[in-house]
Amino acid sequence: MTAWADALELITRVPGIRGAMVVSAADGVVVAESLMDELKGNAVAALAASLTGRIGRATDGAGRGAPRFLQLQATGGTLLVAPHGPDLLIVAVAERTVNAGLARLEMFRAAERVA
Amino acid sequence: MNDDIRALTAQLAADPASLVFLPLGEALRRRGQLDAAQKVALAGLGRYPHLPDAHDLFAKILVDRKDFERAFDEWDMALRLDPQHAGALKGQGFLYYKAGDLPHALEFLEAALAESPDDPSLVAAVARVRAESGQGEAVPAEPGAPAAGPAPDADAATVRTSVFAGLEGAENGLLLVDTAGLRLGGGLLDPSGVDVADVVAAHLAGVSREAQRTVRLLGLGTWEAVIVEAPGGNAAAVPANSESLLLLMRDGSVPMGRLHLLADRAAKAARQWLEGIA
């Protein structure tokens, strides 16, 4: 749990990141979180897992494989998801102005730190 | 409960999203446990509304319940999803036979036999209907006779690609999908050249709704795009209008940042097309 907490802290240091968490891909349950209190972490985790699963079935069905990274862009911000193996998702909520490329790299690095 | 049903039930309980509901439903149906079979079939259809086999299973249960009208609708749906679905062709043939419509019965049964030439029940059924139709022994199909089952619709393919006429990827890499997961336009092939457009369209059903629920929960306004990076390529999904979604898929050489722009351009073309046919 400490390893994930440290890894999530690296992600939340990226300017524009409001919160981050680790989610179980199978059931959308929060495994670890950072700064997600005001962001309805449990509900977001479930929806992020469901959306990633649905998109993953589409990319898999298209013969492109499972997603490595997913970004849900909205008018008021963005949700970033980096699957970590088949079982976990690293999820971050960010402002619209976030450097998504940097956030993506930090999410990958976070996964490498815990692997 | 016998062993195979027990084992299949356990598998389904462990993974409710798996397709094991198909053999489980069939096993229950064959044992006459129609209530249980129907429950399993409907649950499976709820998860996989565009799976022809699920409609086929439900249709067979309805026939066992003597609800032939609904069974016809289910097999009709299966054939819309897969015009060569042997089970649905066979089922429709049976219903036409039961209704006394021998020409249509023979048409569908022969189409089913073409898909499943080793099915002894179909061989027997075709021979019987031919005999009752006065055709006696098996008669070769007349040259130029209309193909059994739903005819290939070449015009549909033209309409689908015309949505994105002039855009790169009109025939492969652009999909317009409605909220029910049905393809409205475009096409998509997997890396080996197999047409996966309808399968992918089915998986995209509900993406718009889930994306909007997610951003609403987070207080992020309205969703604009889902950008995906995958080992075999990248994709962008954008809303075309409130009732349709556009998927753009490209190989990894196209930067993710560019995908959104390309998808927006295609979505604009899709909106114009949708407004034109409304």
Side-chain angles (χ1 to χ4, degrees):
Chain A
M1 187 70 79
T2 303
W4 273 122
D6 293 343
L8 290 177
E9 191 180 349
L10 291 177
I11 298 172
T12 55
R13 285 185 196 166
V14 174
I17 295 289
R18 296 168 55 191
M21 55 185 168
V22 180
V23 175
S24 165
D27 52 22
V29 171
V30 177
V31 174
E33 62 181 348
S34 175
L35 304 181
M36 288 296 298
D37 291 344
E38 296 179 2
L39 295 172
K40 300 174 185 172
N42 290 332
V44 171
L47 285 168
S50 179
L51 183 64
T52 304
R54 202 181 283 270
I55 294 289
R57 285 189 287 276
T59 57
D60 223 18
R64 269 64 170 185
R68 282 198 296 238
F69 184 75
L70 181 151
Q71 179 179 4
L72 170 57
Q73 291 182 355
T75 51
T78 190
L79 180 78
L80 308 167
V81 182
H84 177 51
D87 300 324
L88 295 176
L89 306 173
I90 302 173
V91 180
V93 181
E95 304 290 346
R96 187 180 170 85
T97 54
V98 72
N99 183 324
L102 179 59
R104 169 179 171 276
L105 288 174
E106 289 300 333
M107 292 167 80
F108 287 170
R109 283 200 193 111
E112 285 170 9
R113 282 171 67 98
V114 180
Chain B
M1 189 187 291
N2 64 10
D3 288 345
D4 64 335
I5 290 179
R6 187 178 291 111
L8 291 169
T9 302
Q11 286 180 44
L12 188 61
D15 182 7
S18 80
L19 294 180
V20 76
F21 77 89
L22 289 170
L24 175 58
E26 180 63 14
L28 289 165
R29 184 188 74 81
R30 287 177 183 269
R31 284 178 60 82
Q33 297 175 14
L34 297 182
D35 286 343
Q38 181 160 323
K39 190 176 174 183
V40 166
L42 287 176
L45 265 173
R47 286 183 182 274
Y48 299 98
H50 306 295
L51 184 65
D53 286 345
H55 289 279
D56 181 42
L57 169 63
F58 188 36
K60 287 189 283 188
I61 295 168
L62 289 169
V63 165
D64 289 349
R65 288 185 178 276
K66 307 288 189 279
D67 190 343
F68 301 118
E69 195 171 323
R70 285 178 71 195
F72 184 94
D73 290 342
E74 290 299 321
W75 273 318
D76 184 62
M77 175 58 74
L79 288 173
R80 287 173 192 275
L81 294 166
D82 177 5
Q84 275 82 46
H85 192 278
L89 289 167
K90 184 178 177 181
Q92 294 289 53
F94 164 75
L95 290 179
Y96 276 118
Y97 178 77
K98 197 163 175 54
D101 185 344
L102 296 185
H104 277 113
L106 188 58
E107 178 186 334
F108 279 90
L109 289 172
E110 285 180 337
L113 185 60
E115 296 299 320
S116 298
D118 298 327
D119 185 338
S121 69
L122 273 170
V123 173
V126 169
R128 178 174 180 172
V129 176
R130 280 181 181 153
E132 293 185 18
S133 301
Q135 296 186 29
E137 294 296 313
V139 176
E142 293 179 2
D153 190 350
D155 288 343
T158 303
V159 168
R160 286 182 191 140
T161 55
S162 70
V163 176
F164 304 115
L167 294 177
E168 181 190 345
E171 295 183 13
N172 178 21
L174 280 171
L175 272 185
L176 183 65
V177 180
D178 69 10
T179 53
L182 293 173
R183 177 165 49 140
L184 294 170
L188 185 63
L189 306 177
D190 74 2
S192 61
V194 174
D195 187 346
V196 294
D198 291 324
V199 168
V200 172
H203 286 309
L204 292 174
V207 164
S208 285
R209 186 174 58 246
E210 286 210 351
Q212 187 52 36
R213 278 172 63 195
T214 302
V215 301
R216 186 169 60 238
L217 196 70
L218 285 166
L220 298 182
T222 304
W223 84 282
E224 294 178 324
V226 176
I227 315 292
V228 186
E229 176 188 349
N234 300 329
V238 299
N241 61 17
S242 61
E243 297 178 349
S244 63
L245 174 144
L246 180 131
L247 178 78
L248 179 143
M249 192 163 275
R250 292 288 183 268
D251 63 37
S253 67
V254 179
M256 286 176 60
R258 191 160 170 242
L259 289 180
H260 191 178
L261 295 173
L262 295 174
D264 277 346
R265 190 182 305 164
K268 184 179 175 185
R271 277 191 292 275
Q272 291 171 343
W273 179 79
L274 287 166
E275 287 164 8
I277 64 170

